[in-house]
Amino acid sequence: MSNLPNCPKCNSEYTYEDGVMLVCPECAYEWAAGQEDGGTEDTKVFKDANGNILEDGDTITVIKDLKVKGSSSVIKVGTKVKNIRLVDGDHDIDCKIDGFGEMKLKSEFVKKA
């Protein structure tokens, strides 16, 4: 039997692993493995316009016409973007959009597909 730590929020002993995260089934708290104190989150949580949590590799949809800086073209509403990468900085998402190439987007202008 594996020796997983108790939940830092409710001290439940029934924690389990879900990928690189540890999850408590009683209070639904999630934290990164090796981060047992629970108070200091090192990883930033990226959320879309609807509050859904985004992860690397997700497919998203643009919810607003976005002007492309330095160009007269526009990324239209409903444009699907596959296989996103989340990064820290001014713009949260690195991606490739068909017909435009590599782009940086803000998570507030997209929704998870």
Side-chain angles (χ1 to χ4, degrees):
M1 179 160 199
S2 66
N3 189 12
L4 295 175
N6 290 355
C7 175
K9 288 247 179 177
C10 70
N11 204 29
S12 171
E13 62 184 5
Y14 302 111
T15 57
Y16 64 91
E17 290 181 279
D18 184 22
V20 297
M21 302 295 284
L22 295 173
V23 181
C24 175
E26 292 184 5
C27 69
Y29 182 66
E30 297 182 9
W31 70 99
Q35 180 186 352
E36 281 70 38
D37 62 355
T40 57
E41 288 268 337
D42 290 342
T43 57
K44 182 178 176 187
V45 176
F46 297 94
K47 294 185 178 184
D48 68 0
N50 296 331
N52 298 319
I53 296 175
L54 297 172
E55 297 176 358
D56 285 338
D58 280 348
T59 299
I60 57 172
T61 304
V62 177
I63 63 168
K64 177 182 174 183
D65 283 347
L66 301 174
K67 295 179 184 176
V68 178
K69 206 174 218 182
S71 175
S72 61
S73 57
V74 175
I75 298 173
K76 297 283 187 182
V77 171
T79 302
K80 287 201 177 223
V81 182
K82 297 179 184 177
N83 198 19
I84 64 170
R85 291 176 309 282
L86 300 173
V87 295
D88 286 329
D90 186 29
H91 292 73
D92 304 326
I93 301 169
D94 276 346
C95 59
K96 286 186 182 177
I97 301 176
D98 292 337
F100 291 96
E102 293 191 19
M103 289 282 165
K104 292 182 181 237
L105 302 174
K106 291 187 178 184
S107 58
E108 62 199 57
F109 299 121
V110 300
K111 69 178 181 178
K112 195 170 185 176

